């Protein structure tokens, strides 16, 4: 069956950080056929909620808000000042999300991205418990704005805490707050999950956002990604959220360095956005082999 979803794209595909200048991308994003723009909040002070809200309305787009968790935003750090920095940052993200009509803030907010080390089981338990207790506070703060949080798994080169959906669901069970939900990113899943369909099924109705690119971070449909398995998993849980392209440009050196993109992945970022969406719309609309067989047998 066809997936009943909306399609989005992250502005990270073209630029960073999101600011007033980024709003010039919105007419193009709408023209290409997207429903949603994914807004990465690196510096909340650069985002004027009223200006962004008007630009979204002018272009008939909805917003998804994603966080960026650098070294200073670390809920597992032994120094409580890092926790407060994270709370303050996430509160600003909640204000932006609520102001723009978004339903959640997404990202790997349990720890700083790039904190990947081999630690003892005892140390991991300490950091896990810090993440749990601090994310309960984050959930309570999100609740005040009527929002959820979408927690994201990352690959082993970007974090040592949460690499698989199984681990993420265990974290969410320990948090035990209704606001704690799931975002899955196919790039990370292709590295860490033995079975991407099973991972999506495991997330179930907790899955509220789904990011995609190819296995090498390139244009959807040009690599080795198991799009058939994604489709089966999303159909099985009756997913009706947004499927959003997230990738990056090597032109923004700081961001490219953080995600280890050392060369262009495509001839043009505009082509990435257009061709990626064309593939995703065709993929989401096509019937499975089983459905085609059932139809032919019924004739």
């Amino acid at each position: 069956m066809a997936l009943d979803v909306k399609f989005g794209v992250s502005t990270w595909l073209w630029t960073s950080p999101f600011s007033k200048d980024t709003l010039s991308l919105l007419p193009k994003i709408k023209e290409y056929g997207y429903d949603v723009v994914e807004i990465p909040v690196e510096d909340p002070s650069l985002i004027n909620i009223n200006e962004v809200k008007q630009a979204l309305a002018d272009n008939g787009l909805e917003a998804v808000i994603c966080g960026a968790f650098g070294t200073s935003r670390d809920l597992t750090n032994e120094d409580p000042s890092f926790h407060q920095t994270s709370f303050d940052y996430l509160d600003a993200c909640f204000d932006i999300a609520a102001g723009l009509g978004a339903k959640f803030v997404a990202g790997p907010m349990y720890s700083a991205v790039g904190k990947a080390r081999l630690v003892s089981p005892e140390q991991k338990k300490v950091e896990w418990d810090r993440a749990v207790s601090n994310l309960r506070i984050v959930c309570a703060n999100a609740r005040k704005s009527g929002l959820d949080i979408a927690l994201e798994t990352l690959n082993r080169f970007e974090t040592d805490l949460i690499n698989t959906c199984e681990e993420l669901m265990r974290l969410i069970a320990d948090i035990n707050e209704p606001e704690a939900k799931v975002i899955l990113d196919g790039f990370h899943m292709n590295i860490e999950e033995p079975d991407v369909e099973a991972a999506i099924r495991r997330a179930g109705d907790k899955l509220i956002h789904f990011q995609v690119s190819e296995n090498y971070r390139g244009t959807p449909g040009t690599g080795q990604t198991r799009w058939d398995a994604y489709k089966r998993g999303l159909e099985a849980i009756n997913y009706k959220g947004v499927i959003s392209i997230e990738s990056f440009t090597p032109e923004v050196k700081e961001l490219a360095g953080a995600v280890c993109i050392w060369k262009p992945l495509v001839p043009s970022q505009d082509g990435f956005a257009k061709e990626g969406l064309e593939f995703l719309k065709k993929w989401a609309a096509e019937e499975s082999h089983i459905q085609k067989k059932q139809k032919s047998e019924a004739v």
Side-chain angles (χ1 to χ4, degrees):
M1 63 181 178
L3 292 172
D4 181 14
V5 295
K6 294 181 179 180
F7 296 97
V9 62
S10 172
T11 58
W12 265 339
L13 190 64
W14 292 275
T15 189
S16 168
F18 191 98
S19 67
K20 183 175 182 178
D21 292 341
T22 314
L23 298 178
S24 64
L25 289 172
L26 268 56
K28 177 164 56 180
I29 290 170
K30 182 62 177 180
E31 177 189 347
Y32 291 167
Y34 287 95
D35 311 294
V36 176
V37 58
E38 193 173 288
I39 298 175
V41 180
E42 292 169 77
D43 183 350
S45 70
L46 297 178
I47 298 178
N48 182 303
I49 295 173
N50 291 331
E51 288 180 350
V52 177
K53 185 175 183 179
Q54 187 61 56
L56 290 168
D58 289 346
N59 291 281
L61 291 166
E62 299 174 21
V64 164
I65 305 302
C66 292
F69 299 91
T71 305
S72 65
R73 298 167 184 165
D74 184 1
L75 292 177
T76 63
N77 196 286
E78 62 183 5
D79 184 346
S81 69
F82 283 73
H83 309 166
Q84 191 59 52
T85 296
S86 300
F87 297 146
D88 293 344
Y89 165 70
L90 282 165
D91 284 347
C93 289
F94 295 147
D95 287 343
I96 292 168
L100 298 180
K103 297 178 181 178
F104 57 85
V105 172
M109 58 190 74
Y110 42 82
S111 182
V113 175
K115 192 174 180 180
R117 318 130 302 153
L118 182 62
V119 298
S120 68
E122 293 78 14
Q123 179 63 21
K124 187 159 188 176
K125 177 67 163 57
V126 168
E127 295 188 8
W128 180 281
D129 290 344
R130 282 190 195 127
V132 168
S133 60
N134 283 325
L135 284 168
R136 286 175 180 159
I137 296 171
V138 171
C139 284
N141 291 339
R143 189 181 309 133
K144 295 173 186 175
S145 297
L147 299 170
D148 289 327
I149 62 170
L151 298 168
E152 180 180 7
T153 67
L154 296 181
N155 69 72
R156 69 191 70 183
F157 307 108
E158 298 184 35
T159 186
D160 56 56
L161 194 67
I162 303 292
N163 302 131
T164 66
C165 188
E166 181 179 6
E167 291 169 338
L168 180 57
M169 296 307 288
R170 193 162 71 246
L171 179 71
I172 287 173
D174 285 357
I175 296 167
N176 194 27
E177 297 289 350
E179 292 78 19
K181 304 289 177 60
V182 173
I183 169 179
L184 291 176
D185 181 328
F187 173 75
H188 301 294
M189 293 172 72
N190 275 325
I191 296 173
E192 298 297 342
E193 298 288 357
D195 185 335
V196 294
E197 178 183 348
I200 293 170
R201 288 173 176 266
R202 183 173 286 115
D205 61 6
K206 290 284 188 181
L207 182 65
I208 58 174
H209 193 53
F210 195 67
Q211 292 176 327
V212 296
S213 62
E214 266 302 339
N215 60 290
Y216 66 101
R217 278 285 195 202
T219 309
T222 64
Q224 301 182 63
T225 296
R226 287 289 308 278
W227 294 99
D228 58 329
Y230 285 175
K231 183 85 177 296
R232 289 193 302 271
L234 293 170
E235 286 176 344
I237 66 171
N238 196 27
Y239 180 74
K240 294 182 181 294
V242 175
I243 296 176
S244 185
I245 292 177
E246 184 194 58
S247 190
F248 310 90
T249 172
E251 296 304 312
V252 181
K253 301 306 179 186
E254 183 177 358
L255 183 60
V259 296
C260 301
I261 291 181
W262 314 121
K263 59 187 177 181
L265 300 174
V266 291
S268 85
Q269 299 305 108
D270 286 354
F272 192 138
K274 288 189 287 187
E275 294 162 19
L277 181 59
E278 289 168 2
F279 170 80
L280 288 175
K281 285 190 170 181
K282 181 179 179 182
W283 161 77
E286 64 188 11
E287 296 176 329
S288 68
H289 294 302
I290 294 174
Q291 290 166 327
K292 289 177 181 177
K293 183 180 179 182
Q294 288 173 338
K295 279 191 174 181
S296 65
E297 290 174 348
V299 174

